Structure formats: structure tokens, C-alpha cells
Amino acid sequence: MLRHALARSSLSRGASGRLGHYYSRRQASQLAEPKQPEVVTSEIPGPQSKAALARLSKLQDTRAAVFACDYSKSVGNYIVDADGNQLLDLYCQIASIPVGYNNEALLKAAQSPEVASTLINRPALGVYPPKDWASVLEKAYMRVRPKGLDMVFTTAHGSDANELAYKAAFMHYARTKRGSAGFSAQEETSVMDNVPPGAPDVAILSFTSGFHGRTFGALSTTRSKAIHKLDIPAFRWPRAPFPQLRYPLDKFSEENSVEEQRCIAETERILDENEMPIAAVIVEPVQSEGGDRHASAHFFQELRRITHQRGVLLIVDEVQTGCGATGTFWAHEQWRLDTPPDMVTFSKKMQTAGFYHTQKMVPEQPLRNFNTWLGDPSRALVTSAIVDEVLAQDLVEQARVTGAYLKSHLVPLAIRYFRVFNSVRGEGTFLAFDCTSPELRAELLQLMRMEGVNMGGSGDVAVRFRPMLTLTKAHVNVFLTRFESVLNKLYQKHWPR
Amino acid sequence: MLRHALARSSLSRGASGRLGHYYSRRQASQLAEPKQPEVVTSEIPGPQSKAALARLSKLQDTRAAVFACDYSKSVGNYIVDADGNQLLDLYCQIASIPVGYNNEALLKAAQSPEVASTLINRPALGVYPPKDWASVLEKAYMRVRPKGLDMVFTTAHGSDANELAYKAAFMHYARTKRGSAGFSAQEETSVMDNVPPGAPDVAILSFTSGFHGRTFGALSTTRSKAIHKLDIPAFRWPRAPFPQLRYPLDKFSEENSVEEQRCIAETERILDENEMPIAAVIVEPVQSEGGDRHASAHFFQELRRITHQRGVLLIVDEVQTGCGATGTFWAHEQWRLDTPPDMVTFSKKMQTAGFYHTQKMVPEQPLRNFNTWLGDPSRALVTSAIVDEVLAQDLVEQARVTGAYLKSHLVPLAIRYFRVFNSVRGEGTFLAFDCTSPELRAELLQLMRMEGVNMGGSGDVAVRFRPMLTLTKAHVNVFLTRFESVLNKLYQKHWPR
């Protein structure tokens, strides 16, 4: 199973880092992306990874760790582990790397005095904002803002981005209901005991299989897997059915349309009949952790229509889909909505998190949707450099084109190797397929790793592509070669002729 | 009211930054801390601050902003605003600055290749940890770990640190109850609908006036002010009374002891009789947002005793009290507990967040208490440099000594100016006093700002000292001069002879 690449890459020659020392800036700029993967250990994690993880396990839970990384040697689309294995990375820190490891433009930004200043003088952005914070927001977030949303609430990660959006929704709901009346004495008293009317029973409606994070409010809307939720108290918020479509979507358009209509009708019924009033609906453009489940633009148009009709807010969770991988900067652009979503949340490739909104979502009183740091300006400056790269190099278009190329090869492979995988789906490089069993998926992922390609799963049987936007057809060709090799190994093992 | 300092400080001479340009490293090392405050505008925020905030208000809610800052010119204990006002900072980004603005050692760390690497190659720490992550954890967190707790869960901010501790508590509670049995089918099904038994009705008990953050789980334990909680759904978790003590503590020790015993007895009653079972109790060593409310070591010893007796976990929230300001690195060290707390949460001066714990708090299955990033290694590297500074310069001892000096002057001033303030309290520099009315507090804070001292309030009438650990007696003297001047102005205005 071990594969020794014939040629040692320029990376291996160029970076002679000593242990405990990272690259200098000069060294980093000399790093070149490998031409192909190289696996030098007989298993992954190899001995150095295992030693690092064993040491770490005394301090943190390492049972989910795949291997320990040498980020100083990772370049572009290739991640290098502690043993020197260099893997084409199609998972990218759970979709968090947008423009390549050790990207030179990002390195330059990270080494700027502005970043150093915000790292050592951590501001409480809502109380003592840096004088140029507006221009950082412009460059990092507003240049790529979703149409119709002209403000941005900044925070730390996807889970609290969603929670802050929920809080905005609940405050908006209460204001709409309350009208010009102030808080009642009963509200002010009861809220300190966590009971209505001050702490009201109001809901966020989410969809079956959706994932919106793991803090308590977010987790109450997450419906991905039991293991994500077991033993944790949850708000008794309802869930609506998300369409269970058949792929390829165009082939099954008729029955898929019926399924989507069923889900919209049921969602309408819940909005109208749910005992607890619903302030907002949250939905992912692609249910990512839930197994890369898709719905059509029409479904989302209908969802916008039925929420708008009822004055229920629509929150689009673009934590995983945002920042270009689907072939548009925000996946929901592809829905071509008449009325924009009320809030769009983001994180992952955007490096910090937050939600876009309009003035309507700002509470009447200050300090209500608030916290000490309100995000991280150091990370925002890196985001600004990322957006520079994405726009200057037209990387969203590159993701669209490269993804189409990858998909065009996956579709026939799924026919040829139907015993291993099916249901190729997605847009841009935000692609996925289903394996025919969870066990086969685990085997495939491990074999791919030993072939030098790092991939990740989602849901019960899906394998998801979450490459960087810098993925090219050349990388796809490297992947396809290794993938076919693994598919043949699986066939030889499980279905020998 | 405007005060023009006679001498222009070395800061004003040294830093000739152009707009949009920050210091270079050479320039930063030339910056010296001002000898005294200097206020150059007739009001704060001044015209430049107002312009920056007006621009920012188009993108974010700025109603809580005090002024816009020029962090490039802020040095040591002095913050400089967009208009060039240089203020002695005793609030420090809501207690988030430990060792001074533009600290040189921190600057060096922030400009290291390691920080740049983690900024541009953001790792999913639970899946692909950097090979040296264990040693970063050692240097940033384990060197200063609370006695008895040998693991650390890293995350983004105080609110999610508390929530992750709550999740650990709930999983521990369920495991204890479940014994060796696995999850039942009913649990796995019901949890997807957010109902028991999968999503059980279990509680975290918190105290009246406590503050533990603003995400949904944290907010359900926060009991500071109605405005923090109104309109947001909350778990029906109980609250226990926190002692309402009279200050100075030694003068009223007898009646305070009765009050504490009452609160302990009531807490015991809730632990035993609350309808919803209680998995953990969370408490702050000093209720910080709630108005700097204190209790004695004996109270906390009793709290540990009654929780330990019942197998209820004790979580100590050191988000604001941690990192030295109380005269010990962790405030709860001063309780001298026989049995350590089960978890200690931290954030603010520590730059990122997390909780310390033991192996007992690690769930049986991986990926349960989990998220994508699990903290921020760039910030952790800065934390490591902070801990270096704190230990090398013995800054915890400095905070203890400087705080005692400050308190020794505040106590007689409170007697002399009793119409303005009273109830001086606290340890180290983690001090506070109460103003005699909310209006007087607002007036005092604004006058102090115009005298060149930036301070913050908490609760309804408290003014809290949250200086850096680098505060010296010389800074205290600067403060005292300005403070007396303001006190005299307030007397002249409100109680003229």
C-alpha cells in the first residue's frame, strides 16, 4: 500500500527546517508546491505523528486527530505531516483554507505591523474600536457582501455567528410584537428567572440533517447526528423536513420537485401551526455536515416566499458554503432571490465569523447584541488579504471551472465503480459523492490517504470535496489518478473477478 | 474641564505616524510610556473619534463606543485616542490587556514566524494539530494551570468556554447516571427532536448577579441585568442567591457571615429540591459584570463542600478574574480549597479562552465536545509571551502590592468623599467602589476621562479597576491626583459650601 514517489519534490529539497524552527520569510517564498503527493511512511499517522499525538493526548482529547502537521512545510494545495508525508489536501482543515498553505500574499499580510498591533493590543471592538476599523471591515467583508445586506456583525466562529443572528432575530421578533411599548415590569422581572414573558418561548426553525454549530442555541438547531446532541439540553424548537433528493438532480427533476414541494408545504404548516411562535428559519445552501444534501434554487425561492409572506426572518448559514467554492462567492447568489435573506452567516474560509444584515436587525437599545471582543481584527486583516487574492486571481471562477472539470470525471467513474460510490453532486468544487456503506467510506478515505490524498467525510456515507479555491485541473488529474487506483484496489479486494 | 498637560510627552515626540501607517518595529521600540495623561480636545470623543465612529456606524452598531483608538500610539498603561488624547487606562479593553499596550516582548512574539504560520494556515486543531501544539499548550496554559487540573480545552472566548464546560458537565452527568449502558434507541431518536430523554432537562445552577456570557447556554446562567437577557429564550435553570455583603468585609464580618450562611443554606436547598436535576454549579470568584460583588473564602469553601458532597460539579468562571490581577494568578487560589474545582474557565487577559479540567471531564466518545477550530493558536502564542512576561517580571506580586497601595488610598478617600462613593473592595488591583447613584457614576467616569483617566463601570453603581498587571505606584499616584480633582469638582457642583 505504501507509495514512494519517484521524484523528490522541490518542497523537500527547498525547506530544510530544523525542529522547532519555522521558515523565515525568505525561505517561505522559496517554497514551491509539490508536483505530486509523496507518502514516506507505511501508515498514516506515521511514527512522528503518533509521538506528537501521544504527547498531546495528555493535555487534550486527540481521538479525532488524523495526523499531526508540519505547517511550515505545507505549501499551496499540499499538506505535510510530521513524518514528511506530503498529501494533496482536498479537506483543508474542514473547509477553512481558501488560498493555499503558506500563501505568500497572506504571509505578507500576517507579518504586517497592523496585524502585530491588533494581536498585542486586543481591542474591545464595540467600546474602543481602532480608528480604521471601518476600513478593515470594508476590505475584509463589505467588498464581498451579499446583495441587499449592508452591515456586518463580527464575531469568533460559525457557531456564535449563528447564535448572534438568532438573538438579533428574537429581538426583532419581540420589537415587532411589542410595537412602541417599552419593556414591561413583568418582563424585566421574569427574565431574571429565565421564564416568559421576559425570556419568551420563541423558536428558530431548522431543517432535518442541518448543522449550525455546537453551542447551546446553535446545537438546538443542529439536526445532523445524535452523537452531536446527546445528553445536552436543547430548546424545544421544531424542525422541518429537508428535501431528500436523488442525484444527478437533472435526471430526477420530476420526483425531486415533488419532494421539494412536500417539504415546502410541511414547512408552511409548521410556520402556521407550531405551538411556539417562530422568529426565523435557518437553512444551509448545501447541508454540509449533514452529508452534502442539496436542494434546488426553486426550493429556496419558495422558502423565501413563504417566510417573507409571514414576516418570518430567513437566515442563510454560509459558514461552509461561503467564500467561493460553489462557483459564486456566496452559494445563495445562485438562487436569484427577489428578496434577499435577512441575515447571512459566515466563518471557516473567512477566518473569523459574523453575519451580514441590514439596519432592521439592529436592536433599539445598545449593548444588547454584544460581547467583549466582537471578533478578531488580526484575523480580519488576514481575511482582507484573502479577499484580495480571491478577487485579483478570479478564484471563484477558477473554482467553478475546476469543479466542473472534476465533476465531469466523477460522474462517469460513479457509473463504472457503482459498487463503491454514487450520487455525485454539487457546484464548483463544493462536490460530494456517497459511498455504498460507512465501512467502505472509511476504507476509501484511508486508502486515499496512503495514496497521498487527504479527504473528509460527512453524514453517514458521503465523501465531500472541500479543496482550496486554488485547486487547478492539474491537481484534479493527480486526484483522479490516485482515486482510480484506490477504486481498483477496492474492487480487487471486495469484488474480485 | 479641559486639561492641557504642560509637558509634551516623549510619546508625542517619538511617534510621527502618518495616517494609515503603523509603527515599524524600530519605531515601536522607541515608544516610551507617557509620564502623565494629556487631553487635547474639549470633549471625548473628540472630532477625529466622532468622524471615525460616524463612518463605522454605517457598518456596525457603535452606540456603546467610548472613543476610537490609535493603537499604534498607545504605550504601556496609556491608551491614545484618534484625536491624540493620551489616557491612563484603568479599564483595558474590559480587562483584556495584561502587560501593556505595544509591549515589546509581545510585539516580538507577534512578529514571529510561528504566529504568521498559524495565522495563514488556520488549523482544525482537533483533527490536524500542529506537531508542536502540545508544547504551545504547555507554554501558554499549563505553566500556570490551577492546581489539580492537568488538561486544557481551548476555544475562542469566555462565553463559549463556559458553554463547553457546561457540555462537559452534562455529558459527565449523563454518563454517571447511565453507568455502563450505551445510548438507548429512544435517546438517539428523541434527541433529534430536542426532547428528553436524549436532550434531557438538566440544569446548571448559577448565582444572582452572576455573568457568564451571552450565547444561549451561557446567557441562561447570566443574571446580571435584564437588558442582557430580555427577549431571548432561556433554559429554565435555577439561580441561587449570591451573598450581598457590606464593605469593608472585615468591618462587617459578623453580619456578612450570616448572609453567606443564608446563601449556602438556600443553595443546598436548591441542589436537593430543584425539580430539574443540577449537573454543575458555576460561580465567579468576584461577580465582575454584576457590580464587583465579593464573597469570602469561607463561602466558596462551603460551596465546594456542598457540591462535592452531592457529586455536583463546580465550575469556577475566571474569565475576568484570571491572569493575576487579584494578586494570585487565579483568584480561586485564595480560597485554599481541599478539593479543586472540577473546571476553571478563562479568557480576556489570556487572549483566547478555554477551561482547565481533568480526564474525568473527557467524554467517553470522541467528537462530542468538539468544533472546527478549537481555539486560535496565533493567540495562544501571544498568550505564551504574556505568561513569560508575567512570570519573569513577577507581575502577579506587583499587582498585589500596587493594588494594596491603591486600596490604602481609596479607603480614606471614600470616607472623605462619602457623598460620591463608598464600599471600596477587592484584592490586588481587582478593586471597585460604589457610587452613590448611577447618574453620579456617569458624571464621574466622564470627568475622569476629561482628566485623562479611562475607567469603566459595572452593575448599577460600581466603578471597577481593571488595569494591567504592569500598573505601578507611580501610575496610582497619577490616578489619585486626577481622582481627587474630580471628587472636588463633584463636591463643588453638587454640594457647594
Side-chain angles (χ1 to χ4, degrees):
Chain A
M1 232 159 46
L2 173 64
R3 179 183 192 96
H4 288 287
L6 291 178
R8 289 187 64 75
S9 75
S10 60
L11 168 66
S12 306
R13 286 195 303 273
S16 58
R18 285 177 291 141
L19 267 178
H21 283 72
Y22 287 70
Y23 53 80
S24 71
R25 187 160 171 185
R26 178 185 296 268
Q27 283 172 325
S29 67
Q30 290 171 341
L31 291 179
E33 190 180 82
K35 290 275 183 289
Q36 57 187 320
E38 184 176 356
V39 174
V40 297
T41 56
S42 59
E43 57 179 5
I44 296 176
Q48 296 296 323
S49 267
K50 280 184 180 166
L53 296 177
R55 189 178 164 211
L56 181 56
S57 68
K58 294 188 169 60
L59 305 177
Q60 295 196 323
D61 181 3
T62 56
R63 290 170 295 174
V66 177
F67 48 77
C69 295
D70 188 340
Y71 287 102
S72 70
K73 293 184 180 163
S74 302
V75 190
N77 290 269
Y78 282 80
I79 189 167
V80 176
D81 75 9
D83 293 280
N85 294 308
Q86 59 192 35
L87 312 178
L88 177 64
D89 195 358
L90 302 182
Y91 195 37
C92 297
Q93 312 299 322
I94 319 181
S96 292
I97 306 291
V99 293
Y101 292 110
N102 287 309
N103 176 294
E104 277 195 59
L106 264 57
L107 180 61
K108 193 176 165 191
Q111 293 182 327
S112 71
E114 292 88 339
V115 167
S117 174
T118 50
L119 274 171
I120 67 177
N121 306 310
R122 182 153 203 173
L125 289 167
V127 193
Y128 305 100
K131 62 182 184 178
D132 62 349
W133 181 231
S135 88
V136 174
L137 291 176
E138 283 286 356
K139 287 177 199 155
Y141 309 114
M142 301 318 286
R143 276 194 289 176
V144 293
R145 71 188 174 89
K147 200 176 154 186
L149 304 180
D150 55 6
M151 298 182 80
V152 64
F153 195 114
T154 44
T155 186
H157 48 64
S159 192
D160 74 347
N162 284 335
E163 292 219 355
L164 286 157
Y166 299 170
K167 288 180 73 176
F170 287 129
M171 289 188 255
H172 177 266
Y173 175 87
R175 186 175 60 203
T176 306
K177 199 174 152 197
R178 188 180 286 124
S180 59
F183 303 116
S184 71
Q186 200 192 357
E187 284 177 321
E188 301 214 356
T189 310
S190 60
V191 74
M192 302 311 286
D193 285 318
N194 293 3
V195 296
D201 286 325
V202 195
I204 304 290
L205 176 63
S206 61
F207 287 93
T208 300
S209 313
F211 183 95
H212 304 289
R214 290 172 175 263
T215 47
F216 285 77
L219 192 64
S220 292
T221 54
T222 284
R223 316 281 183 164
S224 45
K225 289 183 181 173
I227 197 70
H228 295 156
K229 293 167 68 74
L230 278 160
D231 300 336
I232 311 300
F235 292 107
R236 306 276 157 83
W237 296 344
R239 61 171 165 163
F242 193 78
Q244 304 297 304
L245 303 188
R246 293 186 66 187
Y247 306 95
L249 295 177
D250 51 359
K251 189 174 161 192
F252 298 99
S253 61
E254 207 157 316
E255 66 182 271
N256 286 343
S257 170
V258 171
E259 166 68 356
E260 291 192 338
Q261 195 43 52
R262 179 187 74 83
C263 293
I264 286 292
E266 176 62 8
T267 305
E268 278 194 285
R269 192 194 63 74
I270 294 168
L271 289 174
D272 291 336
E273 298 176 13
N274 194 65
E275 195 178 342
M276 199 186 287
I278 292 165
V281 174
I282 186 162
V283 71
E284 298 158 275
V286 181
Q287 291 192 324
S288 307
E289 300 300 309
D292 272 50
R293 296 172 195 267
H294 291 254
S296 74
H298 181 71
F299 172 80
F300 294 105
Q301 289 159 7
E302 284 290 281
L303 186 61
R304 174 71 288 194
R305 181 182 63 77
I306 64 173
T307 49
H308 194 58
Q309 267 178 356
R310 289 163 175 79
V312 172
L313 301 171
L314 179 62
I315 306 169
V316 178
D317 177 342
E318 293 246 24
V319 167
Q320 192 156 155
T321 51
C323 199
T326 66
T328 47
F329 198 92
W330 304 104
H332 79 268
E333 292 171 44
Q334 295 169 39
W335 306 341
R336 301 184 180 283
L337 297 178
D338 293 330
T339 309
D342 297 286
M343 291 177 268
V344 173
T345 64
F346 60 88
S347 185
K348 295 206 189 283
K349 286 190 179 67
M350 297 295 279
Q351 306 299 301
T352 49
F355 67 92
Y356 293 100
H357 62 99
T358 60
Q359 183 66 39
K360 171 175 92 168
M361 300 313 305
V362 178
E364 276 184 302
Q365 304 82 2
L367 289 163
R368 292 188 69 193
N369 215 1
F370 193 77
N371 58 60
T372 296
W373 289 330
L374 288 167
D376 186 332
S378 309
R379 293 273 173 201
L381 287 161
V382 175
T383 306
S384 176
I386 288 168
V387 171
D388 280 345
E389 283 282 278
V390 170
L391 298 181
Q393 300 191 33
D394 209 2
L395 291 178
V396 179
E397 175 64 7
Q398 180 172 322
R400 194 187 64 76
V401 172
T402 307
Y405 177 78
L406 170 55
K407 193 175 179 181
S408 74
H409 286 79
L410 286 174
V411 168
L413 283 172
I415 295 166
R416 196 162 135 215
Y417 296 96
F418 68 95
R419 292 181 198 278
V420 176
F421 78 108
N422 55 57
S423 301
V424 173
R425 56 195 183 270
E427 299 300 324
T429 56
F430 204 96
L431 301 174
F433 56 75
D434 285 342
C435 289
T436 45
S437 76
E439 297 72 28
L440 208 58
R441 177 178 71 177
E443 207 176 342
L444 181 139
L445 290 176
Q446 184 55 29
L447 284 173
M448 285 303 293
R449 206 165 288 133
M450 292 310 299
E451 289 273 346
V453 180
N454 187 50
M455 304 184 73
S458 66
D460 296 324
V461 291
V463 170
R464 51 180 162 171
F465 291 84
R466 294 294 178 272
M468 302 154 191
L469 305 177
T470 52
L471 194 81
T472 64
K473 290 179 184 174
H475 297 118
V476 171
N477 290 338
V478 167
F479 159 75
L480 289 169
T481 306
R482 313 285 163 142
F483 188 47
E484 284 203 51
S485 161
V486 165
L487 291 170
N488 285 323
K489 282 180 189 167
L490 288 171
Y491 264 68
Q492 281 161 26
K493 179 176 167 193
H494 296 287
W495 304 280
R497 301 230 170 169
Chain B
M1 239 162 32
L2 172 64
R3 180 184 192 96
H4 287 286
L6 291 178
R8 289 189 65 75
S9 75
S10 59
L11 169 67
S12 305
R13 286 196 303 275
S16 59
R18 287 177 290 143
L19 266 178
H21 283 72
Y22 287 71
Y23 53 81
S24 70
R25 187 159 168 185
R26 177 184 297 269
Q27 284 172 325
S29 68
Q30 291 172 342
L31 291 180
E33 190 180 83
K35 290 275 184 289
Q36 57 188 318
E38 182 176 357
V39 174
V40 298
T41 57
S42 59
E43 57 179 3
I44 296 177
Q48 296 296 323
S49 266
K50 280 184 180 165
L53 295 178
R55 189 179 163 210
L56 180 56
S57 69
K58 294 188 168 62
L59 306 177
Q60 296 195 322
D61 182 1
T62 56
R63 289 171 296 174
V66 177
F67 48 77
C69 295
D70 187 340
Y71 287 102
S72 71
K73 294 184 180 162
S74 301
V75 189
N77 289 268
Y78 281 79
I79 189 166
V80 176
D81 75 7
D83 293 280
N85 295 308
Q86 58 193 34
L87 311 179
L88 177 64
D89 194 358
L90 302 181
Y91 195 38
C92 297
Q93 313 298 322
I94 319 180
S96 292
I97 306 291
V99 293
Y101 292 110
N102 287 309
N103 175 293
E104 277 195 61
L106 265 56
L107 180 61
K108 194 176 164 191
Q111 291 181 327
S112 70
E114 292 88 340
V115 166
S117 174
T118 50
L119 274 171
I120 66 177
N121 306 309
R122 181 152 203 172
L125 289 166
V127 194
Y128 306 101
K131 61 182 184 179
D132 62 350
W133 182 229
S135 89
V136 175
L137 292 175
E138 284 285 356
K139 287 177 198 155
Y141 307 114
M142 301 318 287
R143 276 194 290 176
V144 293
R145 69 190 175 86
K147 200 176 155 187
L149 304 179
D150 55 6
M151 298 182 80
V152 63
F153 195 114
T154 45
T155 185
H157 49 63
S159 192
D160 73 347
N162 284 335
E163 293 220 354
L164 286 157
Y166 299 171
K167 289 179 73 176
F170 287 129
M171 289 188 255
H172 176 265
Y173 175 86
R175 186 175 60 204
T176 306
K177 200 174 150 195
R178 190 181 283 123
S180 59
F183 303 117
S184 71
Q186 201 193 353
E187 284 177 322
E188 301 214 358
T189 310
S190 60
V191 76
M192 303 311 287
D193 285 318
N194 292 4
V195 296
D201 285 325
V202 195
I204 305 290
L205 176 63
S206 62
F207 287 93
T208 299
S209 313
F211 183 94
H212 304 289
R214 291 171 174 262
T215 48
F216 285 77
L219 193 64
S220 292
T221 54
T222 283
R223 316 281 183 164
S224 46
K225 289 183 181 173
I227 196 72
H228 294 156
K229 293 167 68 74
L230 278 160
D231 300 336
I232 311 300
F235 292 107
R236 306 277 159 84
W237 296 344
R239 62 170 165 164
F242 192 79
Q244 305 297 303
L245 303 189
R246 293 186 67 186
Y247 306 95
L249 294 177
D250 51 0
K251 188 172 163 194
F252 299 99
S253 61
E254 208 157 315
E255 66 182 90
N256 286 344
S257 170
V258 172
E259 165 69 355
E260 290 193 338
Q261 195 42 54
R262 179 187 74 84
C263 293
I264 287 291
E266 176 62 9
T267 305
E268 278 193 285
R269 193 195 62 74
I270 295 169
L271 289 174
D272 291 336
E273 297 176 13
N274 195 63
E275 194 177 344
M276 199 186 289
I278 293 165
V281 174
I282 187 163
V283 71
E284 299 159 275
V286 181
Q287 291 192 325
S288 308
E289 300 300 309
D292 272 49
R293 296 171 195 267
H294 291 254
S296 73
H298 181 70
F299 172 80
F300 294 106
Q301 289 159 6
E302 284 290 281
L303 186 61
R304 173 71 290 195
R305 182 182 63 76
I306 64 174
T307 50
H308 194 60
Q309 267 178 355
R310 291 163 175 79
V312 172
L313 300 171
L314 179 64
I315 306 169
V316 178
D317 177 342
E318 294 246 24
V319 166
Q320 192 156 154
T321 50
C323 200
T326 65
T328 47
F329 198 92
W330 303 105
H332 79 268
E333 293 171 44
Q334 296 169 38
W335 306 341
R336 301 184 181 281
L337 297 179
D338 293 330
T339 309
D342 297 286
M343 291 177 269
V344 173
T345 64
F346 60 88
S347 185
K348 295 208 189 283
K349 286 190 180 68
M350 298 294 279
Q351 306 299 301
T352 49
F355 66 92
Y356 293 99
H357 61 99
T358 60
Q359 183 66 40
K360 171 176 94 168
M361 300 313 305
V362 178
E364 276 184 303
Q365 303 82 1
L367 288 164
R368 292 187 71 191
N369 216 359
F370 192 78
N371 59 59
T372 295
W373 289 330
L374 287 167
D376 186 331
S378 309
R379 293 272 173 202
L381 287 161
V382 175
T383 306
S384 175
I386 288 169
V387 172
D388 280 345
E389 283 283 277
V390 170
L391 298 181
Q393 301 191 33
D394 209 4
L395 292 177
V396 179
E397 175 63 8
Q398 181 170 323
R400 193 185 66 77
V401 172
T402 307
Y405 178 77
L406 171 54
K407 193 175 179 182
S408 73
H409 286 79
L410 287 173
V411 168
L413 284 173
I415 295 165
R416 194 161 137 217
Y417 295 96
F418 69 95
R419 293 181 197 280
V420 176
F421 78 109
N422 55 57
S423 302
V424 173
R425 56 195 182 269
E427 300 299 324
T429 56
F430 204 96
L431 301 174
F433 57 76
D434 285 342
C435 290
T436 45
S437 76
E439 297 71 29
L440 208 57
R441 176 178 71 178
E443 207 177 340
L444 181 140
L445 291 177
Q446 183 55 29
L447 285 173
M448 284 303 294
R449 205 166 289 133
M450 291 311 299
E451 289 273 346
V453 180
N454 187 49
M455 303 185 74
S458 66
D460 295 325
V461 291
V463 171
R464 52 180 162 172
F465 292 84
R466 294 294 178 274
M468 303 156 192
L469 304 177
T470 52
L471 194 81
T472 63
K473 290 180 184 175
H475 298 118
V476 171
N477 290 338
V478 168
F479 159 75
L480 289 169
T481 306
R482 313 286 163 142
F483 188 47
E484 285 203 49
S485 160
V486 165
L487 291 170
N488 285 324
K489 282 181 190 169
L490 288 170
Y491 263 68
Q492 281 160 25
K493 180 177 167 192
H494 296 288
W495 303 280
R497 303 230 171 169

